[in-house]
Amino acid sequence: MRFRRPVIAGLMLAFLVGPALAQITVLDSAQDQPQGAVPAAPEAQAVETPAAPPPPCGTQPMTIARMSWPSAALLADIHARILNAEFACEAQVVPGDLAATASSMGSTGQPAVAPEMWVTRIADVWNGAVETQMVRSIAPSFAEATMEGWFIPAYMEGAFGGTPSAAALQPLLSTQTSEMPVRFISCPADWACSVINRNLIAAYGLGSLVQVVEPANRFEMDALIAEAVSRQENFILYYWQPNAVLAQLDFRALDMGAYDEEAMKCLARLACATPTPSAFPAETVVIALAEWVFADAPTVASYFQRATLPIAEMNALLGQLNEPGATVESVAERFVVARRDLWGAWLGATP
C-alpha cells in the first residue's frame, strides 16, 4: 500500500495550493486599486449615458406660415432666419392663408407660428381655433393698432404749427389763398372706406374746402398720390398700413382723435344724418403660436413674445421690396444683417 502515499500527498498539496493562489490573485487585484478605494460591485460598474438635451425648437417641426401679402411674407422669412441663426433651429417657411392657417393650427398645431394673423378678419375661425386650446396669440405683430387713416405729405407738416390733426384742417384750409380747393385723395368708390371718408369730411366741416377724388382702383390711387408729391402739391389722402407708399413718399399721419364706436356706425352708412368725428377702428393683428411651442420650446416662445415690430419699420421694408430686383428673401436677409440693433431685443437673454 506504499504506492498510495504520493497520490494522497499530491491531492493534499493541490488542495492547499489552490486557495492560496486564488488569494494571491485577489490581493494583486486589490493592490492595483488606488489606496483606500473599495472595489465596485459588478452591478455598479456600468456608466449611465446622460439624457440628450431637448432640441432648442422642440420635437415638432418649427414651421412658419408665409401668407400671400408682402408684409406677412417678410415677417415669416425674417423670423425663420433669426431662429435658425440664433437658436440653432431648423425653422421652415410654409405657405399660409388666414382662415386655413388658423384652422390648421387649432386642429394640428401646425404651422407652429403665424407672424401676422389678422384675427378680426376671420373672427369665427380664430375663436374656434382658440377654443381648442391648441393655439393662442402671444404678442401684437406691430407696435401700432390703427392701420388706416388720413395722411399728409411731410412738407405740409410745418403749416400745422404742432401735431398735425384732422381737427386742425378746417381752420388751416379756411385761410388758404388758392382758388382751387385742396384735393382729398380717397379710395375707390366701391370700397367701404369711401363712404366713411365722405362722412368724415362732413363731420370735420371740410365739405367746401376739399375736392374729393375717388380713383378707379388701387393703381390709379397710387399714381395720383405720386404725381401730387412730385408737384409738391398740398393734399390730403386716405391710406392704410403697413404699406410702402407711406414710407417711400414720406407722409405723416393725422391725429384723428379717439375711436367712437357709435359714431363709426353712422359714418359707415351711406346716409349718415349727423356725422361726428371718430378715428378708424383698431385692428387686432397678432403673432399666433401653437400651444405646444410654449411647453416644448419655451425660449422660442419668449422670443416671439418680444417680436413686435414698429409699423414704420415694416413700411420701410416694403419700400425696399419695391426696389428693382428685390425679393422677400433678399430684403429679409438685409434686415437680419443690418438691423440687429432692433431685433436683438427680441432674443432676450442669450439662448
Side-chain angles (χ1 to χ4, degrees):
M1 300 293 293
R2 286 181 300 177
F3 65 91
R4 291 174 178 249
R5 185 174 299 169
V7 174
I8 295 174
L11 289 173
M12 291 181 64
L13 180 62
F15 178 79
L16 292 174
V17 171
L21 290 173
Q23 186 177 18
I24 292 171
T25 302
V26 170
L27 288 174
D28 286 345
S29 299
Q31 287 172 358
D32 291 338
Q33 298 285 343
Q35 187 173 359
V38 178
E43 62 271 16
Q45 292 182 5
V47 178
E48 293 185 4
T49 303
C57 284
T59 55
Q60 299 189 45
M62 184 58 68
T63 51
I64 304 177
R66 175 172 166 165
M67 307 298 188
S68 58
W69 58 95
S71 59
L74 282 168
L75 286 176
D77 213 80
I78 286 169
H79 290 310
R81 290 170 185 274
I82 294 174
L83 290 184
N84 292 340
E86 301 294 329
F87 295 86
C89 293
E90 294 183 3
Q92 296 182 339
V93 173
V94 297
D97 169 81
L98 276 179
T101 295
S103 178
S104 178
M105 293 178 78
S107 59
T108 68
Q110 292 291 338
V113 187
E116 189 180 321
M117 185 69 75
W118 293 67
V119 299
T120 52
R121 308 289 176 90
I122 51 162
D124 291 342
V125 176
W126 173 255
N127 291 336
V130 170
E131 287 172 4
T132 67
Q133 298 185 350
M134 293 280 286
V135 61
R136 58 170 141 156
S137 63
I138 189 170
S141 301
F142 303 110
E144 298 79 13
T146 302
M147 301 298 175
E148 55 186 327
W150 289 3
F151 297 83
I152 57 168
Y155 53 75
M156 285 182 63
E157 185 175 15
F160 286 84
T163 301
S165 67
L169 284 171
Q170 197 277 335
L172 178 66
L173 298 182
S174 296
T175 62
Q176 66 177 351
T177 57
S178 173
E179 295 180 1
M180 293 293 294
V182 169
R183 288 199 300 170
F184 184 104
I185 301 178
S186 185
C187 54
D190 57 347
W191 294 11
C193 47
S194 67
V195 174
I196 296 173
N197 286 332
R198 283 187 174 273
N199 285 326
L200 276 173
I201 286 169
Y204 284 112
L206 302 174
S208 62
L209 300 174
V210 299
Q211 175 193 1
V212 178
V213 180
E214 293 175 341
N217 50 52
R218 162 74 183 279
F219 300 104
E220 183 180 334
M221 184 179 182
D222 288 353
L224 287 170
I225 293 168
E227 290 170 3
V229 171
S230 68
R231 293 193 300 263
Q232 292 287 289
E233 176 185 335
N234 290 334
F235 70 104
I236 307 158
L237 73 149
Y238 161 85
Y239 223 86
W240 61 91
Q241 303 185 82
N243 207 295
V245 168
L246 298 177
Q248 285 180 309
L249 300 179
D250 198 10
F251 287 98
R252 300 289 183 269
L254 291 177
D255 181 356
M256 303 194 72
Y259 170 67
D260 186 322
E261 184 177 1
E262 291 303 314
M264 185 53 68
K265 288 179 181 178
C266 184
L267 293 169
R269 292 198 294 265
L270 193 60
C272 177
T274 55
T276 55
S278 170
F280 285 84
E283 287 273 8
T284 304
V285 188
V286 302
I287 302 170
L289 214 60
E291 191 66 32
W292 66 263
V293 179
F294 292 88
D296 217 13
T299 306
V300 172
S302 295
Y303 162 84
F304 280 109
Q305 194 172 28
R306 294 182 285 266
T308 297
L309 184 72
I311 203 163
E313 296 289 341
M314 177 52 73
N315 288 342
L317 289 172
L318 293 171
Q320 295 174 22
L321 194 57
N322 284 346
E323 296 172 359
T327 64
V328 167
E329 292 77 13
S330 66
V331 173
E333 177 67 15
R334 187 195 307 185
F335 176 83
V336 172
V337 170
R339 295 307 309 276
R340 191 182 181 97
D341 62 306
L342 194 159
W343 61 260
W346 302 348
L347 301 176
T350 302

